[in-house]
Amino acid sequence: MKRRNFLTVAATGVATQSLLAQKTVTTNTPPFVVKAGDARFGVHTPYKGVNPNDLKISGKDTNGQLAVFEYIGNDKVGPSLHVHHEQDEIFSIIEGEFLFQVGDKQFTAKAGDTVFAPRKVPHTWIQLSEKSKIIYYVQPAGKMEEFFLTMNELKAPPTKEQAEEIHKTHGMTVLGSGLTIK
């Protein structure tokens, strides 16, 4: 098995095992398909107004156990250094190349790679390629959907104080600026 395939399978297994290890929760959500370019409930939440960051599977679908997003990068940007207090994040790189920082480690990740950012561990990333696509999983779902909806409602980029408060309200803490390309 190729290393990339192994890592993708392993990360998917970790997410699945984590869900199965929790008490069995049933849902009344019927099976569904979210088509390419669509968001789960028809509401798009572009990151920084330019990069599609669409909800594909909602915490409402999984009784709060999981949320899945698709990020399409059109700019060489990334989030501030932050920490999720209650959620693990798993990034599957579909297209492009990124520089990640998870804890005190920095590394590049390319198409086919998977990155695990455990809860309570600071992390950030920046896109290195011209275009990119990531599927990322937040487990449990927490308030991530609401976070992106709130950020999307802003008419201008948030002030530092606004960003910190919005993160705090949604279970995260901003720890510093994001990565820059040297």
Side-chain angles (χ1 to χ4, degrees):
M1 180 180 286
K2 290 185 177 179
R3 180 176 177 274
R4 281 188 191 174
N5 291 342
F6 173 78
L7 291 175
T8 301
V9 169
T12 303
V14 168
T16 302
Q17 184 178 20
S18 179
L19 286 173
L20 293 175
Q22 297 178 19
K23 69 179 187 173
T24 302
V25 178
T26 57
T27 178
N28 293 325
T29 304
F32 60 88
V33 173
V34 179
K35 298 288 188 179
D38 289 346
R40 174 67 175 106
F41 300 113
V43 178
H44 298 280
T45 54
Y47 179 70
K48 296 193 175 184
V50 178
N51 303 291
N53 185 54
D54 291 332
L55 177 67
K56 295 297 185 170
I57 299 174
S58 171
K60 296 175 184 91
D61 298 320
T62 66
N63 288 327
Q65 298 301 302
L66 176 72
V68 179
F69 298 85
E70 178 185 60
Y71 173 85
I72 298 174
N74 297 310
D75 289 328
K76 294 181 179 181
V77 297
S80 58
L81 180 65
H82 65 283
V83 64
H84 298 262
H85 299 287
E86 302 297 328
Q87 289 83 29
D88 297 327
E89 230 175 337
I90 301 165
F91 302 88
S92 293
I93 313 305
I94 307 302
E95 176 185 339
E97 183 175 3
F98 295 84
L99 175 63
F100 272 85
Q101 178 177 331
V102 180
D104 60 358
K105 296 182 176 12
Q106 283 193 4
F107 48 88
T108 58
K110 299 178 183 180
D113 294 344
T114 301
V115 176
F116 179 63
R119 66 192 74 194
K120 301 186 187 301
V121 176
H123 61 280
T124 186
W125 50 263
I126 190 165
Q127 180 175 314
L128 300 175
S129 54
E130 294 300 318
K131 295 280 188 183
S132 73
K133 182 188 283 190
I134 300 175
I135 303 293
Y136 66 100
Y137 311 82
V138 181
Q139 191 276 319
K143 297 180 180 179
M144 288 303 295
E145 296 169 49
E146 294 82 2
F147 170 78
F148 290 120
L149 289 169
T150 299
M151 293 296 276
N152 197 50
E153 290 172 356
L154 299 175
K155 303 295 183 218
T159 64
K160 179 181 178 198
E161 293 77 20
Q162 285 176 313
E164 288 172 353
E165 183 58 33
I166 293 169
H167 278 76
K168 180 179 177 184
T169 300
H170 295 92
M172 298 173 280
T173 301
V174 175
L175 301 173
S177 59
L179 296 170
T180 57
I181 299 174
K182 298 172 185 173

